[in-house]
Amino acid sequence: MEYRHRVVLLAGPSGSGKSYIAQRTGLPVLCLDDFYKDGDDPTLPRRDGLVDWDSPESWDAGTAVETIARLAHEGKAEVPVYAIGADRRVATRPFEVTGSPLFIAEGIFAAEIVEECRRRGLLAGAYALRRPRGATFVRRLARDLAEQRKAPKVLIRRGVALLRAEPAVLRRQTGLGAEAARAREILSRVAGMVAGHPRQ
């Protein structure tokens, strides 16, 4: 099937600046973090008795792909609004990509759907944002504290664990088909894609 709109998937470690880079492209941005499962979902993965929110199994990949497909075909869709502090979807909102041949879908689990989006002809490109680990740790902690996502002790402990796991996260994302790239490279490549697609 030939779609009117195609997606650029943007992955990368938590706190690496995916949302910021996505916004800088000037394209419509779909936040894939809104597709986390609700905290009482029985299929959520657990580690030491607690929900493992860093596992791809905590995320609803199927609904994310179907939403991307609907946007690619129709140019609009209802998307969830997820409250991380409450561990659940709290609303839905209308999202449109009409007028733009490309849109960004960004989130830590974006690489999990690279192959399926490619198979269905939805994919324009896929990147994993690469930054110095120390900068990512500081950015993530400042964001999570400002948004009061969890208790400060939990955020610090999780931040240290994510700092250690970051190389493995990038290896997984590139293994799933996302190309590791720095912010300037991603912005340059997306700008080139946009230039090659006339506005609708």
Side-chain angles (χ1 to χ4, degrees), residues 103-174:
F103 63 99
I104 306 289
E106 64 85 12
I108 189 172
F109 298 130
E112 304 293 324
I113 58 175
V114 169
E115 186 54 40
E116 181 62 12
C117 285
R118 179 180 289 119
R119 186 187 70 80
R120 294 173 66 161
L122 302 166
L123 191 67
Y127 301 98
L129 179 58
R130 182 177 59 192
R131 288 189 185 275
R133 281 199 291 164
T136 299
F137 173 80
V138 171
R139 178 191 292 269
R140 177 175 54 239
L141 185 59
R143 176 202 67 190
D144 291 350
L145 288 171
E147 296 179 2
Q148 300 180 337
R149 292 190 169 197
K150 302 288 180 184
K153 286 184 179 179
V154 173
L155 295 176
I156 292 171
R157 184 168 63 247
R158 180 174 181 268
V160 171
L162 291 174
L163 176 69
R164 293 171 176 163
E166 191 165 312
V169 169
L170 278 171
R171 283 195 300 273
R172 176 177 175 82
Q173 292 177 348
T174 55

Side-chain angles (χ1 to χ4, degrees), residues 1 9 28 30-31 33 37-38 43 49 57 61-62 90 105 112 119 130 166 185:
M1 178 183 293
L9 294 173
L30 177 66
C31 177
D33 286 355
K37 297 176 182 177
D38 286 346
T43 67
E57 297 301 316
V90 295
E112 304 293 324
R119 186 187 70 80
R130 182 177 59 192
E166 191 165 312
E185 295 171 324

Side-chain angles (χ1 to χ4, degrees), residues 7-11 18-19 29-37 58-61 63-65 67-68 71 80 82 89 93 103-114 117:
V7 68
V8 177
L9 294 173
L10 180 57
K18 297 180 295 297
S19 299
V29 179
L30 177 66
C31 177
L32 293 176
D33 286 355
D34 283 326
F35 292 88
Y36 271 105
K37 297 176 182 177
S58 68
W59 185 68
D60 189 350
T63 300
V65 171
T67 301
I68 288 171
L71 289 168
Y82 196 95
R89 301 175 191 189
R93 65 182 178 89
F103 63 99
I104 306 289
E106 64 85 12
I108 189 172
F109 298 130
E112 304 293 324
I113 58 175
V114 169
C117 285

Side-chain angles (χ1 to χ4, degrees), residues 4-6 26-28 97-103 194 198-200:
R4 297 179 60 198
H5 314 274
R6 296 176 74 209
L27 297 173
V97 299
T98 306
S100 176
L102 301 174
F103 63 99
V194 172
R199 290 273 171 178
Q200 297 180 9

